[in-house]
Amino acid sequence: MTEINIKDFGAKNNGKFDNTKAFKAAFDELAKNGGGKLVVGEGVWLTGPIDLVDNATLELKEGAELSFISDPSVYPPAYTRWEGVECYAMHALLRASDCKNVTITGKGTINGNGNDWWGIVKAKKAVGQSKPMATYELALAKLNPGFENQAGGGGGRETQFLRPCLVEFMNCQHVVFEGIQLKNSPFWTVHPLYSDDLTLKDLRIENPYSAPNTDGIDIDSCTNVKVLNCFVSVGDDGICLKSGSGPDGICVNKPTSNVTIKDCTVRFAHGGIVFGSETAAGIQHVLAENCDLSGTDRGIRIKSRRGRGGDLCDITLKNLVMNDTLCPIAMNMYYKCGINDVNSPLFSLEKQPVTSETPRIHDVKIIGCKGKNCKASAGFIVGLPEMPIDNLEIRDCEFSTDESSERSPMESDMFYGLPEVFVKSFRVRNAPGAKFENVKIEGPKETFIYE
């Protein structure tokens, strides 16, 4: 195997020199030789976007840090999927597109320097910006005609400030990503998209809880994925499975399937192990076990709504610890983010016509899970009247609520349209086939509320 060192291409590790051209030259050299390894040693290596190549290994030695420039104009438009819709967005900081046999390994760090990016988001919201204004936003708007009518999840599609992921694998096969620390992502942190045979192992992902839309791992329309022994603490969902949003995702029709999540820890996230809300092509054949999701807002989180579509099934969640959450289990078909109209028929309590955009949840098993001191409720399961949650089994589980907490049961998840409840019970609505076996709930005066 060809092995080269980034220093051989004029790179400097002083945190000030722009190494973008050096990384490009290094990976061009590997591509010319049919692959090989690029070694990055100790020091801070400032750079713009990096593209990986076939049969390549990027090794970040202990003490090495890839530090990415935080100027949005440095990241040109790249075709991808952004919050569930195919479009042009800013080039991911570190990207592999249409590659085979890619490895990122070592004990180094990838730093997205997200603070500047998050500041821009907050500034735009503070002035109420609702359309593209900056040069790079106008460039994306021109490439994305009709973006005003595209679905979003709350990240800011209307302004076309389509922030880049920290690391993205798009249309890749045989990927190993292991041992690296990732921090301060501008947007989603690790985004495998349309890829097959991925192993994400021993990663440590840390973004501030206040950092907007900084999901940890977003497995998006991928197959045969393993997430093993990863630590995630972020400003949105922790480990999340997606498959596109609404008509666009239905048209692409690439489900996420055969995913295993084991021995992971998630902290300070909106959800620990999450499905959706981009569910259009379906999510199937998932096993998550032996994970600690304590301190997240919701431990297990399945979220979708009318208009998103998708079949979610054959999901097994075992031996998960979910202490000190708002709600340990939230299955929500009235998810509100990205919609401002409280009175939209999307949130009607009456049956609506079943279409290809009606999501479905069925054949889910939750076994041997525990959650102490849940602040909002012991559980939240809400299906649609026209598409109830079917064949749900919850057994051998223990949950307790913190009755001294001032957090409302209405904070169990993010929704519109549901009537208010005042008891921190396990709420079940439109899930007539739900089976509870050996489920112990301590704290609320009523253990279950059936609607």
Side-chain angles (χ1 to χ4, degrees):
M1 175 190 290
T2 300
E3 182 172 314
I4 56 179
N5 193 295
I6 191 61
K7 284 188 175 181
D8 298 336
F9 297 85
K12 299 179 181 179
N13 61 351
N14 59 13
K16 298 178 180 180
F17 181 79
D18 183 351
N19 293 293
T20 306
K21 291 181 179 179
F23 277 103
K24 184 179 186 307
F27 281 109
D28 285 348
E29 179 71 14
L30 290 183
K32 185 174 69 175
N33 290 298
K37 179 189 288 188
L38 174 62
V39 177
V40 179
E42 184 178 357
V44 178
W45 308 87
L46 184 69
T47 182
I50 295 174
D51 286 288
L52 304 182
V53 298
D54 283 346
N55 307 310
T57 295
L58 173 61
E59 181 178 0
L60 303 180
K61 294 289 189 179
E62 187 171 3
E65 178 179 301
L66 296 184
S67 179
F68 282 90
I69 296 167
S70 57
D71 178 358
S73 66
V74 170
Y75 300 91
Y79 199 69
T80 182
R81 174 186 269 173
W82 201 89
E83 285 196 335
V85 176
E86 288 191 340
C87 64
Y88 284 90
M90 295 180 192
H91 187 293
L93 280 57
L94 178 60
R95 190 177 199 233
S97 179
D98 301 300
C99 292
K100 293 182 179 180
N101 306 318
V102 172
T103 298
I104 304 173
T105 188
K107 296 183 178 181
T109 299
I110 301 175
N111 185 354
N113 292 309
N115 193 62
D116 290 341
W117 296 90
W118 311 326
I120 294 173
V121 173
K122 292 173 184 176
K124 291 179 182 298
K125 290 184 177 180
V127 299
Q129 181 181 333
S130 59
K131 62 181 181 180
M133 295 181 67
T135 301
Y136 45 81
E137 294 169 343
L138 293 168
L140 288 173
K142 187 175 181 179
L143 291 168
N144 296 326
F147 71 88
E148 302 91 341
N149 300 316
Q150 292 176 341
R157 189 183 299 277
E158 67 281 359
T159 68
Q160 289 292 279
F161 184 54
L162 306 184
R163 288 167 282 156
C165 298
L166 184 54
V167 179
E168 182 172 74
F169 304 101
M170 180 174 175
N171 290 322
C172 291
Q173 290 182 299
H174 317 309
V175 173
V176 176
F177 192 11
E178 61 180 2
I180 302 295
Q181 178 180 353
L182 304 100
K183 62 183 183 180
N184 301 326
S185 178
F187 185 59
W188 294 354
T189 309
V190 180
H191 183 210
L193 173 64
Y194 306 153
S195 295
D196 176 67
D197 186 19
L198 298 100
T199 299
L200 310 178
K201 182 180 179 183
D202 300 327
L203 301 177
R204 187 174 183 91
I205 299 172
E206 294 181 277
N207 302 314
Y209 181 76
S210 60
N213 313 109
T214 53
D215 294 17
I217 299 171
D218 286 290
I219 300 162
D220 196 349
S221 291
C222 294
T223 53
N224 303 309
V225 181
K226 295 179 181 178
V227 183
L228 309 173
N229 195 40
C230 292
F231 176 90
V232 180
S233 180
V234 293
D236 208 314
D237 288 325
I239 300 171
C240 192
L241 287 69
K242 302 175 180 290
S243 64
S245 180
D248 187 83
I250 292 169
C251 181
V252 173
N253 194 30
K254 293 183 179 179
T256 285
S257 64
N258 297 327
V259 178
T260 299
I261 303 167
K262 286 187 177 181
D263 304 317
C264 292
T265 300
V266 184
R267 295 281 188 266
F268 308 116
H270 293 183
I273 295 174
V274 183
F275 300 75
S277 64
E278 298 90 339
T279 55
I283 303 169
Q284 300 106 21
H285 317 312
V286 179
L287 170 64
E289 63 179 346
N290 302 331
C291 297
D292 188 341
L293 314 176
S294 299
T296 59
D297 290 349
R298 296 118 197 137
I300 298 165
R301 191 182 195 194
I302 302 178
K303 52 178 178 171
S304 192
R305 64 167 174 258
R306 296 175 177 115
R308 296 256 155 166
D311 186 19
L312 285 69
C313 66
D314 189 20
I315 297 167
T316 301
L317 307 162
K318 295 175 60 178
N319 302 329
L320 307 179
V321 177
M322 301 174 283
N323 298 330
D324 302 306
T325 62
L326 288 176
C327 178
I329 301 171
M331 300 174 65
N332 174 19
M333 301 292 267
Y334 284 77
Y335 184 66
K336 71 178 185 179
C337 290
I339 298 288
N340 295 320
D341 183 5
V342 180
N343 298 312
S344 168
L346 295 175
F347 308 110
S348 173
L349 297 178
E350 303 299 323
K351 287 185 178 181
Q352 302 296 305
V354 174
T355 72
S356 62
E357 296 179 19
T358 305
R360 184 186 179 199
I361 300 172
H362 62 103
D363 294 286
V364 177
K365 295 181 179 179
I366 300 173
I367 303 168
C369 295
K370 297 181 179 181
K372 298 178 180 179
N373 304 317
C374 304
K375 298 174 179 63
S377 71
F380 177 94
I381 295 173
V382 178
L384 296 170
E386 69 272 17
M387 188 64 73
I389 296 171
D390 187 38
N391 200 20
L392 168 64
E393 178 184 342
I394 301 179
R395 60 180 168 88
D396 303 327
C397 293
E398 298 179 9
F399 306 109
S400 68
T401 56
D402 179 359
E403 293 299 307
S404 67
S405 171
E406 296 182 357
R407 305 301 292 265
S408 165
M410 299 296 283
E411 296 180 74
S412 296
D413 203 13
M414 302 170 181
F415 56 82
Y416 286 141
L418 299 177
E420 190 167 8
V421 295
F422 302 94
V423 183
K424 300 179 189 290
S425 308
F426 202 120
R427 184 177 191 176
V428 183
R429 184 185 184 96
N430 297 325
K435 300 176 182 177
F436 294 86
E437 179 181 333
N438 191 29
V439 176
K440 184 178 181 181
I441 297 175
E442 294 182 347
K445 295 178 181 178
E446 297 177 64
T447 52
F448 290 89
I449 297 177
Y450 289 97
E451 304 173 34

